[in-house]
Amino acid sequence: MTDTTILEINNISVVYSDVIQVLKGVSLVVKKKSITSLIGSNGAGKTTTLKAISGLLKPENGRVTDGTISYDGAAIQNHAPEVITRKGIIQVLEGRQPFKYLTVEENLIVGTAIRWRQPYKKDLEMVYNYFPAIVRRRKMLAGYCSGGELQMIVMGRALMAHPALLLLDEPSLGLAPMVVREIFEIIKKINAEQETSIVLVEQNANMALQISDYGYVMENGKIVMEGAARNLVENPDIKEFYLGMGASGVLKSYDDVKSYRRRKRWL
Amino acid sequence: MRKLNFHPCGNYKERYEQEITLFETDFGRLWSGIGIFSLFAILPFIVSPYFLHVLNMVGIASIAAIGLNILIGYTGQISLGHGAFIGVGAYAAAILATTLNVPFIITLPMAGLISAMVGMIFGIPSGRLKGLYLTIATLAGQIIIEYVLVHWETLTKGTMGITLPRPNIFGMELESDLSFFFLIFSCLVVMIWFAVNLIRTKYGRAFIAIRDNDRAAEGMGIPLFRYKLLSFGISSFYAGFAGAIWAYYMVSITSEPFTLGLSVEYIAMVIIGGLGSVSGSIYGAVFITFLNELLRWLTGIMMNIGVLTESGLNVAPLREFFFGTAIVLFILFEPRGLAEVWRIIRSNFKLWPFAY
Amino acid sequence: MNFFLQLFINGISIGFLYGLSAMGFVMIFKSSSVLNFAHGELLALGAFFFLAMVTWVKLPVVLAFLATLAACFILGFIIERFFLRPLIGEPLIYVIMLTVGLASMFKGFMLLFWGGNLQTYPDFLPAFLGIEWHVINIPPVYTAALIIGIMFLILFGLFFKYSSQGIFMRSVADNQKAALSLGVHVQRVFALSWAIAALVAGMSGIVLGIINGINVHDLSAIGLKVFPVVILGGLDSIGGAIIGGLIIGLLETFTGGYISPSLSDVVPYVILVIILMVKPYGLFGLEEIERV
């Protein structure tokens, strides 16, 4: 492990309720200050991987049964989320889970839970700088905000904790393309300015790979492909199955019925 | 002769009937036969009169506890009104027997049915409510019934209570503990038989489905409300039946025993015995009844040696304390109750000396 | 008219006490979704501890009051830590029954120690708190209860609205998983809410004890009265608890005054059933906002 690595997952298996094995030997490395994206179809195990890192498997009766997760050189698998978050790993949950009955600003304040009793005024300003759209909603109940605003709230909430490693689970879920672009630009900006390492789990492979440095492709609880993001974008299989283009790189049309015969080469 | 079934060393079930069969092995059949025989033919004749009385109380409690277990353990509807339903059954029997002179053999099921009706009325909230809210609704039911029992004086004679005539079956008068023993335990056997088989039918499976996931059950085409009401009805029928026997056995009744405390006692039986297990209800009834007697005995001793003088005039505080402690300990350490403990002991023996 | 006015005042006073008792109950439910059937016993424990402090240890009243609050706080903490924490994630009935079991345990304990007879505190409230105006007569205890109650209400309002810990507690009540993902110490929040709830309960117990005398059975019956109050007000609304308390208190005194005293005990529960059937989330409860 070199000192440019912030997180290293080594061959982990995750089992839910002692029966359902979801991850079957996943290994990945996240470099400091980089954006690493994790793409794959539904049920591939992306979210589970994030939860294994952040310790949120525990409340769902899941467990890392094998392998190690090391963060800054220390093993953190199966630790409690309270411990892991205090080391600087914050996960932004899938599907935007705001505190509906708290105001936007209170939502952000919850982000300071890991360093309770320290001043946070400056951080609020920082978050509002990144997400100017939510400033005018400050005093409103978060439950009444729109989807894009909610995404900003939950990301801002995570930023309040000054994470060294930010785990983003599908930030584009159910958002309009324009909002998606805006959010991804902000992610890029956060990464550049705050020097936060980011792991990005996405269905929207195109957007994700555009802003990432490195990418992993997951299927059926395994990593099936990895590489620098710009190489992945060029890969014919990725193009075919995740970017919605024919192998040649042009947008696929439904007339082109033969294309589905192409086999995924890694299977 | 057909081949005898022994314990298979593995899961060799091929058909659903094998899964739901009552006796997995012929030993089970044999043992329950022996058990029933010794229960009726040996036990009542060798025990002391006091112990016979305790056994009778156990029998009555078991009937009511099985009813509650159908509701809580199998259907998953938590009810804090079971004590009141027992009271309804007791009063129904008393009123039928004294004012209408209904013969004993009819009052018992009638009391059960009346109680079932009342239970279904108080089960109506289950159509809209579940979980906590339903529990609170049954709590209100308990308190309202309690109030009615005390204050509807024209019918229940209020705090004076009602004295029942001696029960009479086809000219045979039941008065000794022994005759009651036979009555109570034959009823119990029938009730167990009914409950065990109920669980194996469509209705029982619907109950379990509702317990495990009511939304999914509804999606599978189980009319939730109807089945929940049915479960309330059956459970209260058991309660009412037990209450009626109790009323006859006690000869005179007042509304005093049918409080929230009694409901809690029955829930304690069901939890300590094991939720979702008919035999568990009986273990629970045995446990709680014996605990009661033990504590009475203990307070007696303590009063004699003078440890408790002023505050220990009755058994209530100690009982209250140990009940609470028993419930708490069971929930914390063996939430599946005595039925599970028994299963563990049995399987340890089965596997001995290769326990793994 | 005078009769009406006096009933009204009585109703408000009693109702306020109900509301006060219900506050702690709501707090526990709000943060950890536990229905506390031992609430009445917590009230009684507070009242008895205060009694012991005043009559046996002979502490000055203010000190005794503070000591009681501290003891209740610790007791709440212990209950959560040793009894409820192992049950996180277990089915509802176990949690409910655990509090029922605790209720019997406490009740039995108190009966063993203090017996079932009515006990009273020595008289220590200054007389100037009593209000006499025309026909209205408010005894000093009610005024004291009102002052203490309002003080606590404001205190807790501020705590939940402005302090970080208060906001964390609300966040856990709101979305436990999200709170966990941000590193909120959820278990600490549970423990804290039990501690605070026990503290409030102890305080209400003392006030009730001053008014009605201290009796285990009466105080634990109040624990059951809390149910109609909180269902009326909404299980998760602290303000609703107070208003629900006032409504139930008024209902009780009016039925007691105009119809029949014995009926007043059961009316709250009839109302409870009606409310549950018509508006299960109460008057001020938050209806589940379901966003898909």
Side-chain angles (χ1 to χ4, degrees):
Chain A
M1 186 160 168
T2 59
D3 50 13
T4 58
T5 311
I6 186 162
L7 178 86
E8 186 173 359
I9 297 181
N10 191 4
N11 200 20
I12 56 164
S13 303
V14 168
V15 176
Y16 282 107
S17 311
D18 288 326
V19 229
I20 308 153
Q21 185 169 24
V22 177
L23 296 190
K24 306 154 185 167
V26 167
S27 303
L28 58 84
V29 172
V30 179
K31 293 261 191 300
K32 268 186 187 148
K33 298 173 199 169
S34 72
I35 301 184
T36 307
S37 58
L38 202 53
I39 58 179
S41 55
N42 290 331
K46 307 181 300 283
T47 301
T48 302
T49 312
L50 288 197
K51 284 182 178 159
I53 301 170
S54 62
L56 288 178
L57 283 177
K58 217 177 228 173
E60 296 177 3
N61 208 1
R63 214 160 53 81
V64 178
T65 53
D66 221 346
T68 56
I69 301 174
S70 60
Y71 170 76
D72 261 351
I76 55 161
Q77 70 269 20
N78 291 330
H79 282 200
E82 296 96 38
V83 178
I84 294 177
T85 45
R86 274 164 184 72
K87 293 183 180 204
I89 304 181
I90 300 285
Q91 179 178 3
V92 176
L93 296 175
E94 182 180 15
R96 297 187 286 280
Q97 307 202 12
F99 302 115
K100 283 179 254 171
Y101 304 111
L102 270 59
T103 64
V104 171
E105 190 147 308
E106 285 168 350
N107 261 278
L108 297 181
I109 291 172
V110 178
T112 62
I114 60 165
R115 48 190 180 84
W116 174 42
R117 273 199 254 248
Q118 283 166 30
Y120 50 77
K121 284 275 173 301
K122 260 204 183 115
D123 303 311
L124 278 179
E125 248 165 63
M126 184 252 309
V127 170
Y128 287 138
N129 267 332
Y130 280 114
F131 305 104
I134 57 175
V135 177
R136 60 196 175 87
R137 301 246 182 244
R138 279 169 53 185
K139 301 283 175 207
M140 245 175 73
L141 284 193
Y144 299 114
C145 288
S146 74
E149 286 161 352
L150 287 182
Q151 188 59 46
M152 296 181 186
I153 292 168
V154 295
M155 281 169 59
R157 205 167 64 179
L159 275 187
M160 292 293 284
H162 293 307
L165 176 63
L166 186 62
L167 311 173
L168 292 175
D169 200 347
E170 303 221 15
S172 74
L173 187 77
L175 297 181
M178 231 173 71
V179 183
V180 173
R181 189 154 308 126
E182 195 184 334
I183 292 218
F184 274 81
E185 266 157 27
I186 297 171
I187 294 174
K188 187 82 190 154
K189 209 165 126 199
I190 291 169
N191 169 251
E193 294 175 8
Q194 304 288 321
E195 307 197 327
T196 311
S197 317
I198 294 176
V199 177
L200 185 59
V201 157
E202 259 303 333
Q203 298 278 351
N204 189 340
N206 190 16
M207 286 303 287
L209 289 176
Q210 268 180 38
I211 65 161
S212 345
D213 303 301
Y214 205 78
Y216 290 89
V217 181
M218 286 193 79
E219 245 173 52
N220 290 327
K222 286 183 189 124
I223 301 252
V224 289
M225 186 179 261
E226 61 171 283
R230 57 180 181 286
N231 296 343
L232 283 182
V233 177
E234 296 303 319
N235 183 298
D237 289 323
I238 300 287
K239 272 184 186 164
E240 170 85 26
F241 295 110
Y242 292 102
L243 302 181
M245 290 184 267
S248 52
V250 289
L251 267 175
K252 193 167 62 177
S253 124
Y254 279 112
D255 303 338
D256 195 5
V257 281
K258 261 189 188 167
S259 66
Y260 73 86
R261 291 221 183 114
R262 188 184 170 89
R263 289 279 309 269
K264 292 178 183 176
R265 228 182 274 153
W266 54 74
L267 291 182
Chain B
M1 196 181 127
R2 137 190 109 81
K3 219 175 101 191
L4 285 175
N5 283 330
F6 295 101
H7 254 293
C9 46
N11 197 345
Y12 290 113
K13 287 164 186 150
E14 288 166 351
R15 284 166 302 132
Y16 183 62
E17 286 88 75
Q18 287 173 317
E19 194 67 63
I20 61 168
T21 179
L22 286 182
F23 298 105
E24 237 183 274
T25 63
D26 284 312
F27 270 117
R29 219 178 286 269
L30 181 68
W31 278 115
S32 36
I34 294 175
I36 290 177
F37 174 77
S38 52
L39 177 70
F40 283 106
I42 303 173
L43 194 61
F45 301 104
I46 54 168
V47 295
S48 66
Y50 164 70
F51 200 75
L52 196 63
H53 168 76
V54 175
L55 278 182
N56 284 346
M57 297 311 280
V58 167
I60 294 171
S62 300
I63 294 177
I66 291 171
L68 189 61
N69 214 336
I70 290 174
L71 187 64
I72 297 185
Y74 286 106
T75 325
Q77 312 295 309
I78 305 166
S79 162
L80 280 172
H82 209 64
F85 299 142
I86 295 174
V88 170
Y91 268 96
I95 292 162
L96 286 175
T98 49
T99 55
L100 300 175
N101 290 321
V102 180
F104 173 70
I105 199 103
I106 301 172
T107 40
L108 281 192
M110 279 287 281
L113 284 178
I114 290 171
S115 192
M117 261 161 53
V118 176
M120 279 158 96
I121 290 170
F122 281 92
I124 290 174
S126 70
R128 270 200 75 175
L129 308 169
K130 55 183 188 182
L132 298 170
Y133 290 91
L134 180 64
T135 310
I136 299 175
T138 58
L139 171 72
Q142 162 78 37
I143 290 169
I144 292 171
I145 294 178
E146 229 179 288
Y147 177 84
V148 171
L149 289 186
V150 178
H151 288 96
W152 193 357
E153 294 189 354
T154 47
L155 197 64
T156 64
K157 304 215 170 62
T159 44
M160 296 214 339
I162 304 177
T163 306
L164 284 88
R166 287 257 162 240
N168 195 314
I169 302 179
F170 307 123
M172 251 187 351
E173 198 140 280
L174 298 179
E175 45 189 338
S176 63
D177 276 353
L178 191 64
S179 52
F180 263 103
F181 177 88
F182 286 112
L183 170 77
I184 290 168
F185 279 86
S186 346
C187 291
L188 177 62
V189 169
V190 175
M191 290 305 216
I192 291 175
W193 176 84
F194 178 77
V196 167
N197 282 293
L198 173 78
I199 301 310
R200 305 199 302 159
T201 60
K202 168 184 149 189
Y203 300 100
R205 286 193 294 272
F207 288 165
I208 293 171
I210 291 171
R211 174 193 69 190
D212 289 343
N213 190 334
D214 55 344
R215 292 254 172 101
E218 197 171 23
M220 304 263 287
I222 295 170
L224 284 191
F225 184 46
R226 208 182 304 161
Y227 276 95
K228 281 183 183 171
L229 270 194
L230 183 69
S231 181
F232 265 99
I234 293 174
S235 154
S236 319
F237 179 85
Y238 273 78
F241 198 90
I245 300 181
W246 190 85
Y248 275 106
Y249 188 49
M250 290 286 126
V251 181
S252 84
I253 56 163
T254 62
S255 63
E256 209 170 294
F258 309 113
T259 57
L260 184 63
L262 189 69
S263 297
V264 171
E265 205 169 298
Y266 275 95
I267 297 187
M269 283 182 202
V270 173
I271 285 189
I272 288 174
L275 286 172
S277 150
V278 173
S279 55
S281 328
I282 298 162
Y283 304 148
V286 172
F287 184 92
I288 293 287
T289 316
F290 276 64
L291 184 67
N292 254 334
E293 294 303 317
L294 184 75
L295 289 178
R296 185 167 303 162
W297 181 72
L298 262 180
T299 25
I301 288 184
M302 277 157 95
M303 271 188 352
N304 281 343
I305 50 175
V307 179
L308 296 171
T309 43
E310 12 127 32
S311 59
L313 288 175
N314 55 33
V315 70
L318 258 189
R319 214 179 75 165
E320 194 94 47
F321 181 75
F322 280 99
F323 264 21
T325 316
I327 296 175
V328 169
L329 291 181
F330 263 94
I331 289 176
L332 287 181
F333 297 111
E334 188 49 78
R336 272 174 292 182
L338 287 169
E340 178 73 5
V341 173
W342 174 234
R343 199 191 61 76
I344 291 169
I345 292 173
R346 237 174 31 166
S347 63
N348 272 348
F349 267 105
K350 206 156 72 189
L351 299 174
W352 190 85
F354 304 109
Y356 197 73
Chain C
M1 193 56 205
N2 287 351
F3 184 55
F4 175 86
L5 218 57
Q6 190 60 48
L7 280 185
F8 184 78
I9 303 265
N10 282 353
I12 293 281
S13 327
I14 292 175
F16 192 72
L17 291 172
Y18 284 161
L20 216 56
S21 321
M23 251 168 64
F25 183 91
V26 168
M27 210 171 291
I28 292 175
F29 183 79
K30 211 169 148 71
S31 74
S32 57
S33 305
V34 171
L35 212 55
N36 183 16
F37 277 86
H39 204 72
E41 281 69 19
L42 286 181
L43 295 176
L45 275 175
F48 275 114
F49 193 83
F50 185 63
L51 180 72
M53 286 290 120
V54 172
T55 57
W56 295 354
V57 188
K58 298 212 188 314
L59 282 179
V61 173
V62 179
L63 268 184
F65 186 66
L66 291 178
T68 310
L69 294 191
C72 288
F73 190 83
I74 295 168
L75 176 72
F77 201 82
I78 291 174
I79 293 176
E80 198 282 336
R81 180 66 193 82
F82 292 101
F83 296 107
L84 283 142
R85 189 169 300 177
L87 289 187
I88 291 176
E90 296 281 339
L92 182 68
I93 176 151
Y94 293 126
V95 181
I96 288 182
M97 279 314 289
L98 187 95
T99 62
V100 171
L102 283 178
S104 311
M105 249 171 88
F106 292 152
K107 202 170 169 186
F109 175 80
M110 285 183 284
L111 282 171
L112 278 178
F113 260 80
W114 284 284
N117 300 330
L118 189 72
Q119 317 220 15
T120 46
Y121 294 124
D123 203 13
F124 54 78
L125 283 168
F128 65 80
L129 283 172
I131 296 171
E132 271 184 61
W133 180 69
H134 288 305
V135 289
I136 301 163
N137 178 17
I138 308 174
V141 259
Y142 283 105
T143 326
L146 201 72
I147 293 170
I148 295 178
I150 289 176
M151 224 170 62
F152 267 77
L153 258 185
I154 293 172
L155 225 64
F156 282 113
L158 293 176
F159 172 74
F160 280 112
K161 189 70 197 162
Y162 295 109
S163 82
S164 300
Q165 199 62 41
I167 293 175
F168 298 160
M169 286 176 77
R170 277 160 63 211
S171 79
V172 170
D174 195 319
N175 186 337
Q176 200 170 319
K177 214 155 101 194
L180 208 56
S181 83
L182 289 167
V184 176
H185 220 298
V186 172
Q187 291 174 341
R188 194 178 294 158
V189 166
F190 286 173
L192 194 64
S193 48
W194 268 88
I196 293 178
L199 184 149
V200 176
M203 185 201 68
S204 339
I206 296 173
V207 173
L208 283 166
I210 298 173
I211 293 172
N212 300 334
I214 321 150
N215 174 286
V216 178
H217 299 291
D218 291 348
L219 283 170
S220 53
I222 299 270
L224 294 180
K225 269 288 162 48
V226 157
F227 285 96
V229 171
V230 296
I231 288 293
L232 191 66
L235 264 175
D236 45 11
S237 157
I238 291 184
I242 299 285
I243 294 173
L246 291 179
I247 296 176
I248 296 286
L250 283 174
L251 265 171
E252 249 189 57
T253 40
F254 279 119
T255 18
Y258 285 115
I259 306 173
S260 116
S262 71
L263 203 62
S264 68
D265 277 339
V266 80
V267 160
Y269 298 97
V270 178
I271 300 292
L272 167 63
V273 175
I274 294 169
I275 289 279
L276 277 176
M277 295 300 286
V278 182
K279 206 166 180 310
Y281 293 105
L283 300 179
F284 304 96
L286 294 166
E287 201 148 337
E288 196 67 17
I289 300 182
E290 279 188 45
R291 270 186 83 129
V292 186

